[in-house]
Amino acid sequence: MRALLRNYVGGAWVETGRTFANINPVNGAKVCDVSEADAATVARAVEAASRARDGDWGRMGDEERAALLRRVADRIEARFDDFLEAEVADTGKSYPQARTIDIPRGAANFRIFADLIKAYPNESYEMTTPDGAGALNYSIRRPLGVVAVIAPWNLPLLLLSWKVAPAMAAGNAVIAKPSEETPSTATLLAEVMDEVGVPAGAFNLVHGFGPDSAGEFLTRHPDVDAITFTGESRTGTAIMKAAAERVKPISFELGGKNPAVVFADCNLDAAIAGVARAVFTNCGQVCMCTERVYVERPIFDRFVRGLKEKAEALTLGRPADTGVDTGPLISAGHRDKVLSYYRLAVEEGATVVTGGGVPRFGDERDEGFFIQPTVWTGLSDEARVCREEIFGPVCHVAPFDTEEEAVRRANDTDYGLCASVWTQNLSRGHRVAKRITAGLVWVNSWFLRDLRTPFGGVKLSGIGREGGIHSLNFYSEPSNICIKL
Ligand code: NAD
Ligand code: 6OD
């Protein structure tokens, strides 16, 4: 692992003289230093991307770009262990999780969008004209130009590549800004771009924070043509204001307060296991994680008992520990935030079924940012902890009596990213899934997603859809050409 991570601008590695520390959340130790991009470095990245857009990269055909992106995927796989070690050091997530989800899905993004760009259809229409000769309309698609990609820390490579790959497949030049908490796999990705011969400036990397740092310098830069962002809804508001100045296209994947609705006719063991996974995976730090659970009254007590057992059986530990289920939260700051909700829940009158505090290990993990998996009951839907996104290993479980009530309460939120419904009644599954206002609804499952399907949220959970052809629709714009025959 390198002692200093640098920015990658116009095909060159750039240091700025100002650094920040990358911290391992398992034990609070420094992983490495990171060179923070200043406004001048971000401006150089934008210039380099603009040159690439107008130069070799912009002139490259779909076939050749797709071949390069496939080489990126191959190279990530060839350097699998480097990516794995880097992701685990930055996030503290378990090796099995990073090995089976983060890194392979990160590589797969490059392969799938390389395939899709070649299959991307264009429209054509023949029309009649007053002279009877007719005219032919057909559309061509153009890249947006210079695209800023701003990513969060929870699934660092996966969520960065999920935007970088389709943006580049569509022919855009990209400037990627990973989260300040997880800069390592993005830096490895820049190395890979360099190694496989991506033209200078087609992929640039700037490190730093949001406000008054690389994130804001990028979103405010007049020559950035479009912004794609995954992160908190509040950050989305700030970025939208910056983008409004030049009415830039934006694609936003934001926060959630995702419900699970569990009917008495479910397979109870499967529902308990599925909801436990949806609440506690990655220490609750997946945008799709469940924080509100509604359970039909006849099975409420049994469900809560089962979820408590699952929570208490989780093994918190180091990434390499045998049988570890969950690692730490990402940072001391994030743990403070989640703990403030643990306190607030008690003030609001919650029954703490399990958890609610910080585990003690008696070793170096006490310097890290672990937190107990937590389950609450007893609150009204108006409680703040039932309305605000917490992004930790925690949920509130409430009983309901009718399908109508369950749907109403699931939808009673400012967010709308995803939901899950647990029932063995096929008609009910379809019916309820259709009525829940969210970008993605699972029936009897969670976090199953083909990369070609549309992904995104409604209300405060986002703007637009990415995934498969939906990504290519965002990262390119059609122009119509009309030929008089
Ligand atoms: P965040 O919004 O704090 O930061 C995300 C990125 O934005 C980081 O790179 C950060 O440096 C940058 N940033 C922050 N302020 C900025 C500004 N003013 N201008 C430009 N850039 C700025 O989010 P986070 O804490 O990294 O991630 C957790 C959040 O992300 C949660 O709310 C979670 O729900 C959400 N998320 C959503 C999805 C989704 O697909 N909907 C996926 C993952 C995470
Ligand atoms: O892998 C995916 O399909 C995906 N969209 C993951 C999003 C995770 C959010 O934290």
Side-chain angles (χ1 to χ4, degrees):
M1 210 150 295
R2 306 198 189 293
L4 175 69
L5 303 184
R6 292 174 295 171
N7 305 281
Y8 182 70
V9 174
W13 292 98
V14 174
E15 276 175 48
T16 58
R18 185 170 162 151
T19 61
F20 61 92
N22 175 22
I23 300 297
N24 182 336
V26 171
N27 52 20
K30 185 161 87 174
V31 176
C32 60
D33 287 307
V34 187
S35 172
E36 182 181 354
D38 50 17
T41 305
V42 171
R44 280 173 60 193
V46 177
E47 277 164 37
S50 306
R51 274 197 305 278
R53 174 197 57 198
D54 300 335
D56 287 353
W57 177 249
R59 283 191 289 273
M60 198 179 274
D62 288 354
E63 193 79 42
E64 209 182 333
R65 275 201 319 278
L68 260 179
L69 295 181
R70 268 194 216 97
R71 276 164 42 204
V72 171
D74 292 345
R75 191 70 194 135
I76 293 173
E77 284 164 0
R79 296 189 60 185
F80 194 93
D81 288 346
D82 295 343
F83 278 89
L84 184 66
E85 292 301 334
E87 204 73 303
V88 164
D90 281 8
T91 60
K93 64 179 71 190
S94 73
Y95 278 99
Q97 189 192 313
R99 192 178 286 121
T100 55
I101 299 178
D102 294 74
I103 311 304
R105 216 159 160 84
N109 280 327
F110 286 97
R111 205 161 277 128
I112 196 150
F113 287 108
D115 290 343
L116 280 174
I117 194 66
K118 289 173 54 194
Y120 198 17
N122 278 325
E123 301 163 90
S124 86
Y125 303 100
E126 275 187 50
M127 64 184 286
T128 53
T129 52
D131 64 3
L136 174 67
N137 294 270
Y138 65 92
S139 63
I140 55 163
R141 294 201 74 98
R142 294 197 174 86
L144 299 170
V146 173
V147 174
V149 175
I150 302 183
W153 44 257
N154 59 326
L155 300 163
L157 179 69
L158 190 164
L159 290 174
L160 191 80
S161 61
W162 147 260
K163 290 172 177 291
V164 167
M168 291 180 71
N172 298 284
V174 162
I175 304 160
K177 196 204 85 62
S179 168
E180 56 275 26
E181 308 285 3
T182 51
S184 298
T185 47
T187 311
L188 289 176
L189 181 62
E191 289 183 16
V192 162
M193 295 279 176
D194 202 65
E195 287 160 4
V196 304
V198 167
F203 176 86
N204 305 274
L205 171 73
V206 292
H207 289 297
F209 301 81
D212 203 25
S213 182
E216 189 177 343
F217 301 149
L218 202 47
T219 54
R220 291 208 175 276
H221 198 294
D223 296 333
V224 166
D225 297 304
I227 302 168
T228 177
F229 167 72
T230 301
E232 276 196 40
S233 303
R234 254 191 318 242
T235 311
T237 304
I239 293 178
M240 205 166 179
K241 285 182 183 156
E245 202 56 44
R246 296 183 68 84
V247 288
K248 294 175 186 176
I250 49 169
S251 175
F252 280 178
E253 291 169 355
L254 308 177
K257 189 74 184 173
N258 306 310
V261 179
V262 185
F263 288 95
D265 60 15
C266 71
N267 173 332
L268 187 57
D269 289 343
I272 290 169
V275 171
R277 200 173 139 249
V279 175
F280 301 120
T281 293
N282 207 36
C283 205
Q285 303 169 116
V286 180
C287 60
M288 299 173 285
C289 277
T290 300
E291 293 192 3
R292 297 180 292 139
V293 186
Y294 300 100
V295 181
E296 202 166 359
R297 201 174 299 274
I299 59 164
F300 180 79
D301 290 341
R302 275 185 292 155
F303 182 92
V304 171
R305 249 192 332 271
L307 192 62
K308 174 180 190 297
E309 278 167 21
K310 290 277 182 209
E312 291 174 355
L314 291 170
T315 305
L316 275 57
R318 304 174 191 86
D321 288 349
T322 312
V324 68
D325 294 299
T326 181
L329 292 172
I330 189 69
S331 64
H334 188 50
R335 187 170 67 177
D336 288 347
K337 175 185 153 183
V338 177
L339 279 174
S340 76
Y341 281 106
Y342 281 16
R343 286 191 295 274
L344 179 62
V346 173
E347 285 161 30
E348 291 188 305
T351 299
V352 181
V353 175
T354 187
V358 171
R360 287 289 158 215
F361 300 97
D363 56 33
E364 87 285 0
R365 286 173 291 179
D366 292 339
E367 303 303 314
F369 315 126
F370 288 87
I371 196 162
Q372 289 173 338
T374 294
V375 177
W376 303 310
T377 56
L379 292 174
S380 91
D381 293 352
E382 296 313 310
R384 274 184 54 203
V385 299
C386 295
R387 304 203 74 80
E388 297 174 16
E389 182 188 50
I390 299 171
F391 219 54
V394 58
C395 68
H396 178 260
V397 193
F400 70 85
D401 293 301
T402 65
E403 184 178 307
E404 193 61 30
E405 177 197 347
V407 169
R408 179 179 50 73
R409 291 172 69 186
N411 286 337
D412 180 17
T413 170
D414 289 334
Y415 294 95
L417 188 60
C418 14
S420 63
V421 180
W422 302 84
T423 176
Q424 294 194 84
N425 177 331
L426 188 61
S427 305
R428 169 178 270 158
H430 283 290
R431 194 167 59 230
V432 173
K434 190 172 170 185
R435 293 185 64 201
I436 291 185
T437 43
L440 172 52
V441 183
W442 285 282
V443 178
N444 297 328
S445 60
W446 178 78
F447 202 165
L448 270 184
R449 211 182 75 74
D450 186 306
L451 287 169
R452 292 167 297 182
T453 58
F455 183 81
V458 303
K459 301 192 266 184
L460 281 187
S461 290
I463 298 180
R465 293 290 176 274
E466 295 194 42
I469 200 152
H470 306 276
S471 300
L472 298 178
N473 287 344
F474 173 72
Y475 293 108
S476 65
E477 272 183 322
S479 288
N480 188 63
I481 295 176
C482 181
I483 311 276
K484 176 79 169 57
L485 298 174

